[in-house]
Structures are given as C-alpha cells and as structure tokens.
Amino acid sequence: VPSSGGSVQSNWNLVAKGVADPIPSQSGNAGKALVTNGSTVSWGDGGAWTKIAGGVGPNPGSSAGIQLTNIFSDTYNFYKVLYSFRQDDWTRIRFIKASDGNPQSAANYTWSIWHGQINADVTNHQGGNNNTDFTAMYWNGTDSGFSLCELQLWHPYASSIKTGCKIHSAFNEGSTLHTHTGGAVYDVAEAHSGLEIWGSAGDILSSTNFNYIVLGAKI
C-alpha cells in the first residue's frame, strides 16, 4: 500500500503526480495572462500592450462630453488612446490633472494638424498655441459614418515632463475622406491622469456614437 503522503515505496513505480493547484489564484487578476520566467508561472501582461480601460460615451448623452479618469499612471510609459466619434462634429481635448482630477484649462496648449482630404481634394494646416485645449479631429464628420482617432502618449503621469501626444485620425464626411496627422503638447511640466473629450459644436457624445479603448505598454 502506498503511503498517504504520495511517496514511492519499493513495490510501486510513480507514473504521474499532481499538485494541489498549479495555477496561481485568479482573484484580482481579471484580464491578465499566465506568464513564466522559465521555472514558475504567475499572472502578468500577455503582450506588449495591455488594455487599461474601454467603453462607450455617456448614457444619457451629454454635450459636455466624457472624462476618461485615472487611465494614466506610473505603471506604464507608453499609452495609446483610440476612439470613434460618429457625429457631424469634431473633437476637442484637455488633459486631466493628476493633482486634483480636474481638466487642465489653462492657455498652455499648442497643437498642429496636417489635414488632407480626397474626393474634394484639399490639403491644409490647422493649429494653435496658447490655447485652452487642443483638437484631434478638425472637421465635421457624418452621423453614423466612419471615424477613428488614435492618440499616442509618452509618460503623461510624470510630473517632470511636458505631456504631449501624437495624433492620427481618419473619418468620412459624406463621400469625402478626411485624414489628419499631427500632435499636441501642454507646454508646462505637469502630471496628468486622464483626458476630457467633447464635441466642438456642442453635439452630444453618447453610448451610441462614441467608443474608446486605452492601452498601456512598459519599456
């Protein structure tokens, strides 16, 4: 008879032996993946980019837009924020201060966008400095049309670095396709924890016309 502890006696050969729980506790690890260092497994990030947040616009809709709070931290250095606003309006953005959780509305934003369009060919430049916000999609789109904007940021939570972002966007206005590339910076070093996004003409952001996702990556 084998011992209750599972040790092998001389009259038994061990074929297989299990462990009590080979997987670390899943509690508090939603969205994580199993990773290994070559000898042990643990919960961690399954790829270079990790989903931090995602969702839709406010319900009921609001002309004040949406505040994406606490999406930036010291956990990640690089961030991507992708959103779609399917409305005949363009978006304006402010960074949210980490110090008090309020949007930063001081006139220290500088932004620049190169705007191209096809099927009504135009190439021009839009931008500003000493502004109280910046623009990421500068033109009217089409209700329920195609719309996608991507903001790329480096360490916006660092208080010793000026927060800036690279901007890429594309959307349709009827049969005309608009594309934008550019950037924006808040010209004072300050820690930021999120974004405020709203429609320039006061159009409503809602759960049916606005979607977003936030991704973070470590070095």
Side-chain angles (χ1 to χ4, degrees):
V1 178
S3 71
S4 60
S7 60
V8 180
Q9 295 183 358
S10 59
N11 56 334
W12 288 92
N13 291 320
L14 184 65
V15 177
K17 181 180 180 180
V19 294
D21 189 359
I23 300 177
S25 172
Q26 299 181 55
S27 177
N29 290 300
K32 297 292 185 178
L34 279 176
V35 296
T36 179
N37 60 8
S39 59
T40 59
V41 295
S42 61
W43 296 106
D45 299 333
W49 293 97
T50 299
K51 179 182 175 181
I52 298 170
V56 299
N59 185 18
S62 171
S63 60
I66 189 172
Q67 291 188 6
L68 308 182
T69 59
N70 299 318
I71 57 174
F72 305 141
S73 68
D74 278 329
T75 302
Y76 302 99
N77 302 113
F78 290 97
Y79 289 89
K80 289 183 181 182
V81 179
L82 293 90
Y83 68 87
S84 174
F85 182 40
R86 302 169 297 280
Q87 185 71 28
D88 59 344
D89 197 355
W90 65 87
T91 52
R92 295 166 64 180
I93 299 176
R94 291 183 177 128
F95 298 123
I96 293 176
K97 295 177 287 183
S99 59
D100 60 14
N102 294 318
Q104 177 54 273
S105 59
N108 290 313
Y109 292 93
T110 299
W111 62 280
S112 173
I113 287 178
W114 288 99
H115 172 204
Q117 62 188 61
I118 196 69
N119 202 20
D121 295 1
V122 173
T123 301
N124 58 34
H125 172 254
Q126 306 291 341
N129 65 317
N130 298 325
N131 290 174
T132 57
D133 56 71
F134 67 92
T135 298
M137 299 173 65
Y138 188 83
W139 206 257
N140 294 330
T142 293
D143 290 353
S144 303
F146 161 70
S147 164
L148 183 62
C149 182
E150 178 179 338
L151 309 178
Q152 301 175 5
L153 302 94
W154 157 255
H155 218 331
Y157 199 73
S159 60
S160 60
I161 300 174
K162 296 179 181 180
T163 301
C165 65
K166 188 176 181 180
I167 301 168
H168 294 289
S169 61
F171 55 96
N172 78 293
E173 180 192 12
S175 60
T176 300
L177 177 67
H178 297 264
T179 59
H180 292 154
T181 183
V185 63
Y186 185 75
D187 202 23
V188 175
E190 182 179 80
H192 297 112
S193 59
L195 297 171
E196 180 183 47
I197 305 173
W198 73 98
S200 178
D203 283 356
I204 290 174
L205 262 74
S206 72
S207 59
T208 60
N209 69 10
F210 187 87
N211 298 74
Y212 72 95
I213 187 170
V214 182
L215 306 174
K218 300 176 183 178
I219 295 178

